[in-house]
Amino acid sequence: MSASPETVRSVQPGWEANKAATRSAIVETAMNLVRVKGPGRFTVDDIAAAAGVSRRTFFNYFPSREAALVVSIEDFLDHAADQFLSRPAEEPLVESMYEVLIALADPIHLAAMAEVYGLAGTDAQMNRFQLQGWQNCADRLVTAISQRPGADHDPLYASALVGSVLSSGKAALSQWYRRTGGDVTEESLTLLRQLLVDVVGYLRHGFTQ
């Protein structure tokens, strides 16, 4: 006998919450291990044991330990893409893309991402996953531009615009890392927010000073 629609609706939210909690526990455990041991000095089995899940459960959520570690960057970039999607369809495209960069300076999402960005700079595998996250964000934004109501944008224009905005964001992060060594403090995050705001200004004014 199949469950009634009412039963399915009542079970689904709890199941989704448990999934999210398990995913968060794995990510938090992986981050704690990398802080203590450093990138590449622990295994998937170490993460699973510390998180209280099986190895199989870990792989149900992530393909590798590095994928679990770069979740903060993926969430950070998804937040920026969500901000673009929430902009009015009639707003000039360039203005909407500026909002993506402003979203990257959101302090709520910035700290965890900055920590992972710094760690990825010292680990080739983490860096590969991080770069894939940026590419996924770019693909999502280009697709969103093409789906805007009434949009008739040249695909080259859309790709170039998205590439310029995200490259500017990465430039701010790279400069932050050079100046701070990836040390995440209140002061260094203030610097990172300012660098992201500055790069918005460069874009707005055509890189004239």
Side-chain angles (χ1 to χ4, degrees):
M1 180 176 172
S2 61
S4 69
E6 289 76 12
T7 300
V8 172
R9 281 195 295 270
S10 66
V11 171
Q12 189 76 2
W15 180 76
E16 291 292 347
N18 288 337
K19 263 186 81 173
T22 299
R23 182 177 183 271
S24 295
I26 292 171
V27 170
E28 184 177 350
T29 299
M31 285 302 301
N32 287 337
L33 284 170
V34 81
R35 290 175 187 126
V36 173
K37 298 187 175 185
R41 297 186 177 180
F42 55 93
T43 66
V44 165
D45 288 334
D46 293 331
I47 299 172
V53 301
S54 68
R55 177 183 175 89
R56 180 178 178 180
T57 296
F58 176 93
F59 284 113
N60 283 339
Y61 289 86
F62 301 104
S64 69
R65 64 186 176 188
E66 290 80 13
L69 287 167
V70 299
V71 163
S72 295
I73 288 179
E74 292 174 355
D75 289 348
F76 176 74
L77 293 170
D78 281 345
H79 169 67
D82 287 342
Q83 292 302 302
F84 173 80
L85 292 171
S86 70
R87 304 304 302 172
E90 66 276 9
E91 182 177 64
L93 186 57
V94 172
E95 289 298 320
S96 295
M97 290 304 298
Y98 289 148
E99 292 300 322
V100 171
L101 276 175
I102 294 298
L104 292 180
D106 177 359
I108 294 176
H109 296 83
L110 201 58
M113 187 285 310
E115 181 178 16
V116 174
Y117 182 89
L119 291 168
T122 63
D123 185 272
Q125 188 76 338
M126 280 184 68
N127 189 52
R128 182 173 70 83
F129 276 96
Q130 176 202 197
L131 292 175
Q132 185 60 54
W134 284 93
Q135 184 58 54
N136 291 344
C137 181
D139 292 344
R140 186 179 174 198
L141 288 169
V142 170
T143 298
I145 289 171
S146 70
Q147 294 175 345
R148 266 195 167 189
D152 187 24
H153 298 293
D154 178 355
L156 176 60
Y157 173 83
S159 294
L161 178 61
V162 169
S164 297
V165 168
L166 294 184
S167 291
S168 294
K170 284 192 281 187
L173 284 161
S174 179
Q175 186 61 223
W176 169 80
Y177 185 76
R178 289 194 190 97
R179 296 189 192 183
T180 66
D183 187 24
V184 179
T185 64
E186 185 176 346
E187 182 179 0
S188 77
L189 289 175
T190 298
L191 170 63
L192 179 51
R193 283 193 292 273
Q194 187 58 53
L195 290 170
L196 286 164
V197 170
D198 288 347
V199 87
V200 172
Y202 297 153
L203 284 169
R204 278 186 179 277
H205 298 101
F207 289 91
T208 57
Q209 290 185 317

